[in-house]
Amino acid sequence: MKREKIKALLASGGTDREVLVKGWVRTKRGSKNIAFIALNDGSTIKNIQVVADVSGFDEQLMKEITTGACIAVRGRLAGSEGSGQDVEIRAESIELYGKADPETYPLQKKGHTMEFLREIAHLRPRTNTFGAVLRIRHALAYAIHKYFNDKGFYYLHTPIITSSDAEGAGEMFQVTTLDLGSVPKKTDGSVDFSDDFFGKPTNLTVSGQLEGELGALAIGEIYTFGPTFRAENSNTPRHLAEFWMIEPEMAFYDLNDNMDLAEDFVKYLIRYALENCSDDLDFLNKMISKDLLERLDFVINNEFIRMTYTEAVGILEASGRKWVYGTGWGKDLQAEHERYLVEEYFRCPVILTDYPKVIKAFYMKQNDDGKTVRAMDVLFPGIGEIIGGSQREENYEKLLARIQELGLPEKDLWWYLETRKFGTAPHSGFGLGFERFVQFVTGMANIRDVIPFPRTPKNAEF
RNA sequence: UCCUCAGUAGCUCAGACGGUUAGAGCGGCGGACUGUUAAUCCGUAGGUCGCAGGUUCGAUCCCUGCCUGGGGAGCCA
């Protein structure tokens, strides 16, 4: 007999037939004569109720069917006499795959705090909340590939190990095979990397963007979707040391095309989740974040506000607010400023453009005013900056001048500069932090709870 | 990294001017119950009071340091 997944079984509609299901026991209740087992196999947030007439089963077996145990149930699918569910399985035989000693199994029927569940990350996927988050995370990852594939973008695999700190996106994790107990030194005392695996210092990537640009300037429109690593000592509900980032890069896109793509992309993903994960989103809306569905609907049904950094500063200065951080032109916007614009003034996602060049990266296209660059940040309620992007500087002289002005390692960037030397083209791109986006879609308050195994300062367990 | 709060039973928390046997709810275990929905009812076991020093006749409680976690900030996605 073929095992059926609970999701398919519940969707099938028919009753009065033999079925075989396998899964993990969520709860068992009942009396001396009858037992009710809520069984979940991860295919859906919904459990199937298994009803067992106790007299027909081995006493020891029934005793060992406890919360967390894994069982296979063969029985008859039937309409339920109880009110909590439409159908249930009248068990005819039960096989116990794995016991879960109730005295030591850490998951209870009652709710647990997110902090506690983080300590048992190997078991937390068995909870309703994490099951829902993991299914939604999967659906969003799939939708990302589908969106870009359908638009003719190519998935470009940029390197995880890199040898330059050109992007300057943050502190990096060093990659080495040198024996840290006795590091080879040169005569001047500095580390001799010639014996290291790559013969020079290497690190884990902080961004695939620069390599992404190489792809865009050859095959037109590409995207990356991979892990990135930042060794920043950031301890916040919005930062991870290891996170996933999506970075599309497009030839012949100007900043407006870039913004259009970003907005359309984000709305597509939310719509995809609403259409394909409604059970999980309903659960999260009820148990985790009260107005979740309302927020998601709002984002897909409203145009993002677009304005320049300069206009935004004007709004902040006209607000009459007392800010902890000053708001003069040329200063970067702080969390309190972004929050005011998004959550109070507009109450809508906002795209800010044309930031002062001094606070932005070297590769952004310089405007004719000599002061600003064609940058864009997409700001979301609750999580702040979710997308950062720009039109890239395609002019060789201007790009080189900026690199020199900032004292960046020109030698390490020779390959990047050559794209502007040989057949340069206007192009744009952006980066979307995947976990921050999953946070927004699921309503989870802490980014550590939207990735199966979070990596944060002082924590690399599991 | 800075500011701030916290760490007591498996979980969530209460507690004491510094003073003999540290409490509750839930969970577990035992029992009752012919259909339950985080079942209900009765009973019961369970604690190095985060770690290391210090003050004291005596510290889980006061002081110092450290560790871990939450929130806020910075850095950013």
Side-chain angles (χ1 to χ4, degrees):
Chain A
M1 192 172 186
K2 201 162 185 260
R3 172 228 168 183
E4 286 180 65
K5 289 197 187 183
I6 291 168
K7 183 181 184 182
L9 187 142
L10 290 173
S12 70
T15 56
D16 200 31
R17 60 187 177 87
E18 288 294 310
V19 292
L20 172 63
V21 295
K22 303 179 178 186
W24 292 267
V25 175
R26 283 294 165 77
T27 65
K28 188 176 79 172
R29 323 172 267 279
S31 61
K32 188 197 277 176
N33 303 314
I34 190 165
F36 301 92
I37 300 162
L39 195 70
N40 187 282
D41 67 0
S43 62
T44 165
I45 196 160
K46 292 176 178 161
N47 301 324
I48 185 84
Q49 172 158 288
V50 174
V51 185
D53 183 345
V54 174
S55 61
F57 292 90
D58 178 63
E59 195 184 327
Q60 184 62 22
L61 172 72
M62 290 311 288
K63 224 176 168 176
E64 289 177 344
I65 297 175
T66 57
T67 299
C70 184
I71 59 174
V73 179
R74 187 194 291 261
R76 195 150 202 89
L77 189 64
S80 177
E81 290 174 31
S83 58
Q85 57 284 317
D86 295 333
V87 295
E88 64 191 18
I89 296 173
R90 308 277 163 75
E92 281 156 16
S93 68
I94 299 178
E95 184 184 350
L96 180 68
Y97 284 137
K99 294 188 278 191
D101 176 12
E103 297 213 20
T104 49
Y105 186 63
L107 290 171
Q108 306 172 170
K109 298 177 190 180
K110 284 259 182 181
H112 292 290
T113 60
M114 292 299 148
E115 291 78 20
F116 173 67
L117 291 174
R118 249 169 249 155
E119 293 171 11
I120 51 167
H122 58 307
L123 295 173
R124 68 178 183 169
R126 299 187 187 187
T127 63
N128 285 331
T129 301
F130 284 90
V133 168
L134 292 178
R135 281 184 294 269
I136 292 169
R137 183 181 166 105
H138 159 78
L140 290 171
Y142 174 74
I144 285 162
H145 287 298
K146 179 166 167 53
Y147 178 84
F148 285 124
N149 180 68
D150 290 354
K151 269 188 121 60
F153 283 56
Y154 300 108
Y155 181 25
L156 183 76
H157 295 96
T158 51
I160 307 294
I161 299 173
T162 62
S163 62
S164 66
D165 180 21
E167 223 244 334
E171 291 295 311
M172 297 190 292
F173 288 101
Q174 194 175 338
V175 175
T176 182
T177 54
L178 293 177
D179 178 2
L180 296 181
S182 61
V183 177
K185 300 274 178 67
K186 294 189 206 163
T187 47
D188 66 357
S190 65
V191 176
D192 182 1
F193 284 97
S194 62
D195 282 342
D196 203 352
F197 188 89
F198 295 104
K200 59 176 170 180
T202 50
N203 346 81
L204 295 176
T205 182
V206 293
S207 163
Q209 182 201 314
L210 300 188
E211 291 90 348
E213 287 185 52
L214 311 184
L217 294 173
I219 55 176
E221 294 159 331
I222 65 90
Y223 68 104
T224 73
F225 184 9
T228 43
F229 308 87
R230 307 266 169 100
E232 302 285 352
N233 192 5
S234 298
N235 295 285
T236 85
R238 301 177 306 283
H239 289 86
L240 291 166
E242 176 182 297
F243 64 101
W244 288 64
M245 190 152 61
I246 300 104
E247 295 177 290
E249 200 69 36
M250 300 75 65
F252 317 120
Y253 272 51
D254 66 15
L255 190 65
N256 283 320
D257 301 326
N258 204 17
M259 285 190 280
D260 289 345
L261 181 75
E263 184 169 343
D264 185 58
F265 175 52
V266 160
K267 287 178 172 173
Y268 174 89
L269 296 180
I270 294 173
R271 216 174 284 123
Y272 186 90
L274 286 168
E275 285 167 10
N276 293 277
C277 307
S278 56
D279 289 344
D280 290 323
L281 286 171
D282 285 344
F283 174 82
L284 295 171
N285 187 59
K286 201 165 67 186
M287 303 299 289
I288 298 293
S289 184
K290 288 290 172 251
D291 305 315
L292 176 63
L293 293 174
E294 206 174 298
R295 286 199 301 278
L296 297 179
D297 278 331
F298 183 86
V299 169
I300 59 176
N301 291 318
N302 287 278
E303 291 203 1
F304 296 1
I305 305 289
R306 299 182 186 191
M307 66 188 323
T308 65
Y309 163 91
T310 305
E311 290 169 320
V313 170
I315 288 172
L316 294 173
E317 296 195 324
S319 71
R321 287 282 182 114
K322 287 264 183 269
W323 305 105
V324 177
Y325 292 88
T327 58
W329 197 96
K331 289 178 183 162
D332 205 355
L333 299 181
Q334 302 297 316
E336 57 172 338
H337 308 136
E338 295 180 350
R339 192 161 291 155
Y340 172 78
L341 291 170
V342 174
E343 293 169 14
E344 291 184 54
Y345 192 84
F346 290 114
R347 294 178 171 277
C348 181
V350 175
I351 309 180
L352 294 183
T353 63
D354 301 283
Y355 282 76
K357 71 173 180 185
V358 292
I359 58 174
K360 288 293 181 183
F362 75 95
Y363 49 73
M364 295 190 180
K365 183 175 174 63
Q366 296 163 43
N367 279 317
D368 294 337
D369 62 11
K371 297 188 301 186
T372 59
V373 289
R374 305 241 73 192
M376 65 168 202
D377 282 1
V378 181
L379 309 178
F380 261 43
I383 42 188
E385 186 186 338
I386 195 165
I387 285 178
S390 71
Q391 186 168 343
R392 317 306 189 190
E393 181 55 75
E394 81 270 22
N395 180 284
Y396 178 83
E397 282 75 26
K398 283 187 181 171
L399 182 62
L400 182 60
R402 193 72 184 123
I403 286 172
Q404 290 168 342
E405 199 177 348
L406 292 169
L408 294 171
E410 186 183 331
K411 267 186 189 159
D412 292 343
L413 286 167
W414 66 272
W415 46 273
Y416 186 71
L417 281 159
E418 283 206 350
T419 57
R420 274 62 169 175
K421 220 190 265 181
F422 306 128
T424 191
H427 63 290
S428 300
F430 62 83
L432 170 71
F434 186 50
E435 281 75 16
R436 285 192 185 171
F437 189 69
V438 178
Q439 259 190 290
F440 182 76
V441 175
T442 58
M444 296 297 284
N446 195 309
I447 200 165
R448 291 157 203 186
D449 301 325
V450 298
I451 188 167
F453 306 104
R455 300 282 99 113
T456 51
K458 298 280 183 290
N459 184 9
E461 195 66 42
F462 306 105

